[in-house]
Amino acid sequence: MDAFYASAEQAAKPSLRGKAVVVGGLGPRGVVATASYEARKFGVHSAMPMGQARRLAPNAAYLVPRFRLYREISEQVMGLLRELSPLVEPLSLDEAFVDLEAGETAWDARSAEAVGLRLRADIRRVTGLSGSVGLAVSKMLAKIASEEAKPDGLLLIPQGTERGLLGPKSVRILPGVGPATGDHLRRAGINTVAEIAEAGEDELVRLLGKAHGSHLYAMALARDERPVVAERDSKSVSVEDTYDVDIHDRVRVRTEVQRLADRCVERLRAAERSGRTVVLKVRRYDFSTLTRSETLRGPTDDPAVVREAAARLLEGVDTTGGVRLLGVGVSGLADFTQEDLFAQAAAAASEEAAAEAVEAEETGAPAEEVAEEPVERRWMAGHDVRHAEFGPGWVQGSGLGRVTVRFETPLSERPGRVRTFSVDDPLLEPADPLPLVEGLAR
DNA sequence: TCTGGGGTCCTACCTCGG
DNA sequence: TCTGCCGAGGTAGGACCC
């Protein structure tokens, strides 16, 4: 999908179509998740600090991500892909590999191109959004083709032309070559894919290590035999929070770690998994990041066990000077728990914890908000609302006790009117996202 | 300018047991 | 009994991806 989050927001909000839209964290330490192509013209791109984006594109619309909406659209698109083949490998919400041969929907370049064209039309019909298609004989090449096809295009790399096409391009075009590897190669005088091939496998392994070196050399020769894998079990579950202001108080740090451990276990349980290794992540005031981990005797999904392990790990970490980020994760995932293997000794305790998790889930609020009294309703930029008198709209901004709403829906033909309310206006309520396309209920 | 969140994979180093 | 080798598993950190 092209500039996925930003495109979804433009489809949902007619007044933003054709405008610069930036989706990401809006706090003082937020970064850009996705920028619309209009915003990219100003130099805004993913992973850029929000402050910098605002300086480059002060008139853009800045919105927080709405993952529920994106997940729904993603499911629609993945459904279309599964009609083409049983072998669909999602990479993220907006990207997937499809083995067309396995689905017997394409057998040569011509049939593949026809499938690609039809798919793009179907995606537009069902979601109202544009997607790009890359067609090639391997995953690596298909990915490169789809990147080159963006936005709103289709590119087929004919068999036999791969090396000629890749050769003159920058090493950065190869998946797995980021800033660090790119720099490393540049210092060794290697700037293009052809130069990787010329350098030879031994030199690549010497520069980058066995696995990375061999893999990169193979890719430079356009060799990639990796199959499309439909079902892939996740290997870890983690949650982390970056704080607007560094935390110095050790007691508060402990509390936050406990909170994160609970949230992590909630996610673990929702996935019906358990885990054996608990990982604590701490990013300090100077951005130095360290992790500490502890492997238990068996997998667990008991919040108390994960909380205690995380607390033990924290005791070994110096947080004087302040922390900007804390995280808790669990890896070594399994489908059963250590507790299952023994008698029901801890049954009462874990049932209680499960009840708590369900309660938190039912309120739809993060754990931290469950425990506290509601103070003031928060209106997040970009979120859908409904006003008893004016109908459906979305939050354009809020602050100083006021919230500004634009009243329009995905199907509005013209940008809607803007009105401002008090943040505690009883006629204003949060609302679910509306369908982006007419007649297609989600 | 000042750097998110949720993942995966790889490497280096250490310890332990055979 | 001591020493070295080797593999497995644990731990920490780094790079990368979307």
Side-chain angles (χ1 to χ4, degrees):
Chain A
M1 304 297 287
D2 306 322
F4 182 43
Y5 301 169
S7 300
E9 297 301 343
Q10 287 176 318
K13 302 173 170 71
S15 57
L16 298 184
R17 292 175 195 164
K19 304 263 173 63
V21 174
V22 180
V23 180
L26 300 186
R29 287 174 170 173
V31 298
V32 175
T34 312
S36 70
Y37 287 95
E38 295 85 355
R40 292 181 196 190
K41 287 185 193 147
F42 294 95
V44 178
H45 58 78
S46 300
M48 172 181 277
M50 221 22 124
Q52 194 181 349
R54 285 186 192 275
R55 276 188 293 279
L56 290 170
N59 296 319
Y62 288 87
L63 308 173
V64 293
R66 295 189 293 162
F67 288 104
R68 220 179 85 200
L69 170 67
Y70 311 149
R71 209 169 290 124
E72 282 172 10
I73 300 171
S74 175
E75 277 162 19
Q76 292 175 323
V77 176
M78 297 298 169
L80 291 174
L81 299 183
R82 287 194 192 94
E83 287 173 15
L84 300 177
S85 170
L87 283 189
V88 175
E89 180 179 334
L91 288 182
S92 61
L93 281 182
D94 74 325
E95 214 171 8
F97 291 118
V98 184
D99 187 332
L100 294 179
E101 231 170 56
E104 296 176 1
T105 38
W107 44 92
D108 58 11
R110 182 185 282 231
S111 54
E113 204 157 3
V115 169
L117 287 171
R118 204 170 60 235
L119 172 64
R120 291 194 348 96
D122 286 345
I123 290 175
R124 189 176 284 283
R125 177 176 55 79
V126 170
T127 69
L129 303 178
S130 74
S132 295
V133 170
L135 297 161
V137 295
S138 70
K139 293 208 285 191
M140 182 228 358
L141 291 166
K143 171 126 178 80
I144 291 171
S146 81
E147 291 300 324
E148 300 272 303
K150 280 175 195 286
D152 200 11
L154 178 148
L155 181 67
L156 179 139
I157 300 182
Q159 205 161 3
T161 67
E162 299 92 346
R163 284 193 65 180
L165 187 129
L166 290 181
K169 300 216 181 282
S170 159
V171 295
R172 287 295 301 273
I173 198 174
L174 298 177
V177 180
T181 309
D183 260 14
H184 207 123
L185 291 170
R186 191 176 44 76
R187 282 199 299 274
I190 298 172
N191 295 295
T192 64
V193 176
E195 284 164 358
I196 293 182
E198 283 160 25
E201 185 168 5
D202 290 348
E203 176 67 0
L204 265 290
V205 169
R206 196 185 62 76
L207 284 170
L208 306 173
K210 179 83 188 76
H212 202 183
S214 298
H215 181 63
L216 214 55
Y217 179 68
M219 288 204 298
L221 300 183
R223 288 203 299 244
D224 176 22
E225 304 284 320
R226 295 169 302 160
V228 175
V229 182
E231 300 299 332
R232 199 166 280 200
D233 268 352
S234 53
K235 310 207 163 169
S236 63
V237 170
S238 64
V239 293
E240 60 187 56
D241 271 344
T242 293
Y243 302 96
D244 289 352
V245 179
D246 290 351
I247 304 179
H248 291 83
D249 178 13
R250 184 75 180 180
V251 175
R252 166 97 196 280
V253 172
R254 280 195 204 105
T255 313
E256 290 297 330
V257 167
Q258 304 286 291
R259 230 175 229 183
L260 290 162
D262 285 347
R263 268 167 59 194
C264 183
V265 170
E266 268 177 47
R267 295 257 302 274
L268 194 63
R269 288 185 160 200
E272 297 183 334
R273 308 297 298 275
S274 58
R276 198 168 156 230
T277 303
V278 178
V279 185
L280 174 75
K281 178 171 172 182
V282 178
R283 176 164 291 153
R284 292 192 273 216
Y285 65 98
D286 60 355
F287 216 72
S288 62
T289 307
L290 48 85
T291 59
R292 293 290 178 267
S293 62
E294 180 183 310
T295 299
L296 309 168
R297 277 166 50 197
T300 186
D301 66 348
D302 184 338
V305 173
V306 176
R307 269 201 302 262
E308 283 162 21
R312 276 195 300 278
L313 291 166
L314 179 63
E315 290 316 304
V317 177
D318 179 12
T319 59
T320 53
V323 297
R324 63 182 291 142
L325 170 148
L326 291 167
V328 173
V330 174
S331 61
L333 300 192
D335 297 326
F336 60 91
T337 69
Q338 175 84 347
E339 294 81 1
D340 290 342
L341 303 177
F342 299 107
Q344 316 281 325
S350 62
E351 266 174 31
E352 195 180 316
E356 274 171 21
V358 168
E359 189 182 317
E361 200 161 302
E362 279 171 359
T363 62
E368 56 199 275
E369 291 181 16
V370 173
E372 289 166 13
E373 289 292 313
V375 188
E376 183 183 81
R377 289 200 289 176
R378 285 201 312 188
W379 301 101
M380 311 279 268
H383 279 212
D384 281 304
V385 293
R386 171 171 284 277
H387 190 277
E389 187 179 336
F390 301 108
W394 57 277
V395 176
Q396 195 157 309
S398 74
L400 301 174
R402 315 285 285 166
V403 52
T404 303
V405 177
R406 187 180 282 272
F407 288 97
E408 63 184 4
T409 74
L411 305 181
S412 306
E413 286 178 6
R414 265 175 250 98
R417 288 195 63 179
V418 173
R419 293 178 191 274
T420 298
F421 307 91
S422 164
V423 291
D424 52 10
D425 189 321
L427 298 181
L428 194 63
E429 291 292 338
D432 288 336
L434 296 165
L436 300 185
V437 176
E438 197 164 11
L440 283 165
R442 280 204 307 269

